[in-house]
Every structure is written in C-alpha cells, then in structure tokens.
Amino acid sequence: MLTDGRTLRSSVVSSQIALHAAHGGVVPELAARAHLEGLATVVDAALAPVPGGWDAVDAVAVTRGPGLAGCLIVGTMYATGAAVGRGLPIVGVSHLAGHVYSAWLADADLEPPYLALLVSGGHTECVVLREHGVAERLAATRDDAAGEAFDKVARLLGLEYPGGPAIQRVAASGDPARFPLPRTRIEGAFSFSGLKTAVRYMVRDLGADALTPAGTPRDPRVVADMAASFQNAAVDQLVSGLEAAAERCGVETLAVVGGVAANRALREAVVARFPGHRVVVPPFDLCTDNAAMIAAAGWQRLRLRGPDEPGFDVDPSLAECA
Ligand code: KG4
Ligand code: ZN
C-alpha cells in the first residue's frame, strides 16, 4: 500500500520460488493456482498495519499484463471485485511500467526523464521515461530475457532455481576469463539465446567423463569459472546495450530495475561505465516482483488518465512501459 504514489505504507510479497524450484522453472498452471490461494492472505497482510484497513484505500491498482494469462486473470478478478464492491476506482497497470516506476518509488529525488535498464525473468529492455506517463522503448527483448538466461545457464551448471542468485554466489569465487564466451550486440535489441547456447556447448565439450549423469559439470571449480564467465559476458552485453541507448536518448539519469538488477556485478558495472551519470538501483525488494511498484505506476496512471472501466481484459503481451 502506498500514500501519494511514493510513500510506502506496507509491502507484502508471497514468493512462489519453493513451489517452482522442484520443476526448475515456473509452471503456469501451478502459478495461477498459487495466486488464487494466496491473494486474500497477502492483501489482508498488506492492509493489517494500515489504520482503517480497506476504509483507508482510495483506489486499487492491478497488473493487466504482460505475464501469464492465468495469473493476470486471478489478480484482475480479485482487484475488480474489491474495487467494485467498495465503489473504488481501479487502474490496470503494465508490469513493465511497474518496474520502471520502482526506481521512482525507491528514490524520492528521482523525476523523469530517466533511462531504465529493465532486466527481469521475462524482459530485457531499455525504456526512457520522458515524463510521467510517457515512455519510449529504445531496446527490446529479442529472444531469451537476461533473467531467463541466468536461470537456464544455472540449470546447465547443476545450480538451483532461481538461477540469478545461484550464479552470482558461485561466480564470486570463479575466474571470469577462463571460458571465452560470445557477446551479442544488436541495434535496438537484446539477445541472450546465443550466449546460453554457447554455455550449453561449452559444458558438452568438457566430455562425458567430466559430467554427472544429469549432464552437469562434476568439478565445482569448473562450475564457478563457467558461472563467472557467463555472468561477465551477460553483464557486458547489458551495459553495452544501455550505453547505446543512453547515447541515443541523451538522458543523464539512469536506473537499473527488475529482478536481475539485484545482481552485484551488474550494479557495479553500470556505476563504473557511467561515471558522470546519476545511477539509481532500487533495493533488492523493489527490484524483484512486488505490488508496491504496480501501485506507484498505477497512482501516476490514475492521476494522468483516470480510472479504467471495471471488467477490462488482461493482456498477456502488453508492451506498454508507463
Ligand atoms: O523481475 P523478476 O522478479 O520477475 C520477472 O518479472 O521475471 O525477475 C526474476 C529474475 C529471475 O530470472 C532471477 O534469476 C533473476 O531475476 N535474478 C537475478 C538475481 N536475483 C534475481 N539475476 C542475476 N543476479 C541476481 N542476483
Ligand atoms: Zn518482473
């Protein structure tokens, strides 16, 4: 829950990591069911510390897309029921806008224009927020997203899900120069499938004797060096893409948002590559998916465009960024 768009009153996140870890990735049907089971508890917990509870709420924001249809429908139905039942306005918000606004929420001095590198499990984008409600996408996800590449490479190396934190952990003691990996550079886009495939071949080329029955490297030294080499290449691709976007739009203030922004190597590389720029990276809890960022983007949307008509459709491939 937020007051005036950027004062955080409460934030409750129900993680599904344990549920999906057993499958090595998100299972859509399980995700939607878990949303259904957990939603009321999470909303109650978010309102518990707020005097008046629901009576203190002026408007409801909900994610309309992009994402898994089942999850979006569960959330939108619940939010619509709550809003209509209490006569409150409702706004359907883009998940991408939420990530872009997580920086605005995290830093009380930040105002547009700023350029956001949005790196999550489903997206790798450069978005410039020109003014509130007006965003332009300067680079978009071509195939695998950055977080997806971390998750898939972790699997190839026999590390747990989610792969980002696991790779960061073992990479800390690895040699990033041991395994040379390609960097893909495309004008106006990010591609991570080539890098992921290169790791797959690198593992295969170790030979059967060096691999476990599951096909992952036996030697923890090799795992650490491969993780470090991959992280290095991934960060390099991201920072180069951000550099190209920054040159194109000429905006001086940068933000790194989305789950992969939790990566220490990425944070440090962005700060190092843009010495004269202001770089905002939200705290970990606002980088990974959370409802507070949706409320922040929703507050601006409500202010600028008014409420949505209850009953609006979800959009699993919504591209809107503000
Ligand atoms: O934004 P997010 O919470 O969910 C989506 O919208 O996708 O991002 C989740 C992604 C996962 O792919 C996860 O592996 C990655 O963020 N991630 C990280 C780190 N922590 C989470 N990637 C790299 N390094 C990390 N420390
Ligand atoms: Zn996200």
Side-chain angles (χ1 to χ4, degrees):
M1 179 165 173
L2 302 182
T3 302
D4 297 334
R6 71 197 309 188
T7 305
L8 193 58
R9 301 281 296 276
S10 67
S11 176
V12 179
V13 174
S14 168
S15 168
Q16 295 191 7
I17 285 177
L19 175 68
H20 299 297
H23 306 275
V26 174
V27 182
E29 179 66 18
L30 295 182
R33 284 170 192 243
H35 271 65
L36 196 55
E37 279 167 24
L39 243 180
T41 314
V42 167
V43 172
D44 288 350
L47 288 174
V50 178
W54 270 109
D55 289 343
V57 176
D58 298 321
V60 177
V62 65
T63 307
R64 189 163 76 80
L68 296 170
C71 300
L72 296 169
I73 289 169
V74 169
T76 307
M77 290 293 164
Y78 185 92
T80 304
V84 170
R86 286 163 216 282
L88 297 171
I90 183 169
V91 270
V93 179
S94 160
H95 182 77
L96 303 178
H99 277 303
V100 168
Y101 269 97
S102 68
W104 180 77
L105 175 59
D107 186 332
D109 296 325
L110 180 65
E111 286 300 331
Y114 63 87
L115 172 63
L117 172 65
L118 195 173
V119 269
S120 72
H123 295 273
T124 320
E125 329 253 313
C126 284
V127 176
V128 58
L129 188 67
R130 298 253 178 227
E131 54 187 271
H132 288 302
V134 182
E136 188 187 338
R137 187 191 308 245
L138 299 175
T141 322
R142 176 67 61 89
D143 37 56
D144 287 359
E148 194 179 352
F150 271 88
D151 293 338
K152 288 178 175 168
V153 165
R155 229 158 126 172
L156 293 172
L157 299 180
L159 301 170
E160 74 275 10
Y161 172 86
I167 287 192
Q168 171 166 305
R169 192 186 67 246
V170 300
S173 61
D175 173 7
R178 174 161 170 201
F179 295 100
L181 284 165
R183 272 82 165 145
T184 309
R185 297 216 167 101
I186 307 174
E187 176 74 19
F190 286 103
S191 165
F192 281 90
S193 69
L195 180 55
K196 174 199 67 188
T197 306
V199 176
R200 184 187 299 282
Y201 289 147
M202 207 164 69
V203 171
R204 183 200 61 188
D205 293 346
L206 292 170
D209 291 349
L211 301 178
T212 65
T216 60
R218 282 185 195 283
D219 183 354
R221 185 78 257 144
V222 169
V223 171
D225 292 346
M226 282 190 176
S229 302
F230 162 76
Q231 180 173 264
N232 201 35
V235 165
D236 209 29
Q237 269 188 217
L238 290 170
V239 179
S240 297
L242 179 60
E243 212 163 44
E247 261 166 41
R248 265 174 67 198
C249 72
V251 169
E252 295 281 309
T253 305
L254 306 175
V256 189
V257 298
V260 184
N263 187 273
R264 206 173 313 118
L266 175 61
R267 291 170 179 242
E268 287 168 5
V270 172
V271 171
R273 193 83 74 95
F274 295 92
H277 292 57
R278 174 156 168 234
V279 179
V280 175
V281 189
F284 182 80
D285 289 353
L286 291 178
C287 285
T288 47
D289 285 350
N290 64 88
M293 68 186 193
I294 302 301
W299 187 84
Q300 289 289 359
R301 194 182 164 86
L302 185 63
R303 183 177 74 83
L304 293 163
R305 299 187 211 174
D308 288 314
E309 198 61 48
F312 56 80
D313 277 338
V314 301
D315 184 350
S317 49
L318 185 65
E320 209 170 78
C321 297

